[in-house]
Amino acid sequence: NAVLGGLVVLGLLFLLLAFRRGKPATLALRSRTDGVDVIASRRSVEKALAAAASRTAGIAGASASVSRRTARVDARTVARSETGIREEVETAVKGRLDSLDLERPMRTRVDLTAAKDT
């Protein structure tokens, strides 16, 4: 009976995972014209955010990932000291997100690592 119960629980877990929504392929943008849907691919938004972070002084490179509610940027700094760099990257990323005019606002998360640590 315990084995059967375990299999039922495992089956329900697999069923739940099958219906879980993954990352969106596209993100809706605000349209300035009624009846016109405007979208951006998730990958293009990720590239735009990574580019915005990379253009920040003190950043050697960056990558980004976007889910339904969160934009995460992993940036590599050239300096050991992170003083002010995190805020500059967050400002650049939030500014780029704002310029895209997404239908749903996103939380941003910025993680910094020293380039020599990677």
Side-chain angles (χ1 to χ4, degrees):
N1 277 343
V3 173
L4 194 57
L7 288 174
V8 168
V9 170
L10 187 63
L12 289 173
L13 180 65
F14 282 140
L15 192 61
L16 190 104
L17 289 174
F19 286 110
R20 185 176 157 251
R21 292 169 35 173
K23 287 186 178 183
T26 59
L27 299 168
L29 306 178
R30 286 197 179 97
S31 175
R32 291 173 176 42
T33 307
D34 289 338
V36 176
D37 293 334
V38 183
I39 59 171
S41 73
R42 178 181 50 84
R43 291 177 58 98
S44 66
V45 172
E46 290 171 343
K47 288 179 181 181
L49 297 180
S54 294
R55 284 191 296 268
T56 304
I59 298 297
S63 62
S65 64
V66 174
S67 65
R68 293 191 187 283
R69 295 181 201 102
T70 306
R72 178 180 174 190
V73 175
D74 295 313
R76 293 170 299 286
T77 63
V78 292
R80 282 270 184 224
S81 172
E82 294 181 9
T83 309
I85 294 176
R86 177 181 306 280
E87 290 78 17
E88 289 181 40
V89 173
E90 286 175 350
T91 300
V93 169
K94 287 178 182 179
R96 187 64 181 121
L97 273 176
D98 289 345
S99 74
L100 292 173
D101 206 17
L102 296 172
E103 245 181 31
R104 289 188 194 177
M106 272 190 184
R107 290 181 302 222
T108 56
R109 179 176 161 197
V110 174
D111 293 324
L112 293 180
T113 55
K116 294 175 184 167
D117 292 346
T118 57

